[in-house]
């Protein structure tokens, strides 16, 4: 699996600079849990001169319980809003119990999932921002017997800390995003010291039964 990189049309920067290529390579080096299927996706082309993106789904016993994407943006000229030349943008959506959607602490807890994941992976960063949204859906009429569903959505962006003369190592940042995705989907954390067989990114696992 290799993240697909894009360049913004009309910028004259047809060839991604070495810093960006190195950052994308570190992004692709991230290891995910076996429940996570991760693959490349088209990156947005109008936000920054260079971008690369990954998408992921969390599947438990054949059921998708969470989805997300992470994008690295790069502007060699710098961006005042980013306070840097690189920016990571992440999105996570996961199913939650319907009764949790009214919990007033859900938004704070959702944001803590992100900050704890970044800290736990030593993904040093600054200028973080984002939103946590809860969504409840009720069915009516002929669909009334399907019951209600609820999801939590986390949108966030942050600037990775790094030496300005070198490319940022994004491995820990992408692994933190993967942990956020699993936490939001309700997966139990992996006990400290227990090795996890990583997923085969770019290939969905199949059940031989």
């Amino acid at each position: 699996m290799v993240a697909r990189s894009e360049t913004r049309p009309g910028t004259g920067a047809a060839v991604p600079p070495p810093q960006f290529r190195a950052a994308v390579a570190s992004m692709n080096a991230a290891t995910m849990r076996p429940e996570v299927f991760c693959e490349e996706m088209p990156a947005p082309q109008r936000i920054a001169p260079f971008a690369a993106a990954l998408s992921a789904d969390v599947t438990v016993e054949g059921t998708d319980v969470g989805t997300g994407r992470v994008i690295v943006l790069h502007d060699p000229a710098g961006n005042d809003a980013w306070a840097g030349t690189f920016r990571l943008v992440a999105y996570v959506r996961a199913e939650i119990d319907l009764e949790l959607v009214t919990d007033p602490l859900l938004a704070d807890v959702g944001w803590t999932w992100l900050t704890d994941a970044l800290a736990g992976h030593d993904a040093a960063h600054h200028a973080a921002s984002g939103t946590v949204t809860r969504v409840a859906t009720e069915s009516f009429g002929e669909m009334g017997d399907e019951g209600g569903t609820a999801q939590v959505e986390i949108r966030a962006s942050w600037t990775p800390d790094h030496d300005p003369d070198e490319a940022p190592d994004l491995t820990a940042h992408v692994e933190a995003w993967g942990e956020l995705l699993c936490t939001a989907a309700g997966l139990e954390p992996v006990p400290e010291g227990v090795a996890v067989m990583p997923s085969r990114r770019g290939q969905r696992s199949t059940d031989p039964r």
Side-chain angles (χ1 to χ4, degrees), residues 34 36-38 198-206:
V36 179
F37 169 72
C38 191
S199 64
R200 293 189 297 169
R201 291 174 294 172
Q203 294 182 308
R204 285 193 181 275
S205 60
T206 58

Side-chain angles (χ1 to χ4, degrees), residues 41-68:
M41 65 171 286
Q45 299 183 32
R46 299 183 181 278
I47 303 176
F50 305 97
L54 298 173
S55 67
D57 294 316
V58 180
T59 304
V60 177
E61 297 180 351
T63 300
D64 289 340
V65 294
T67 188

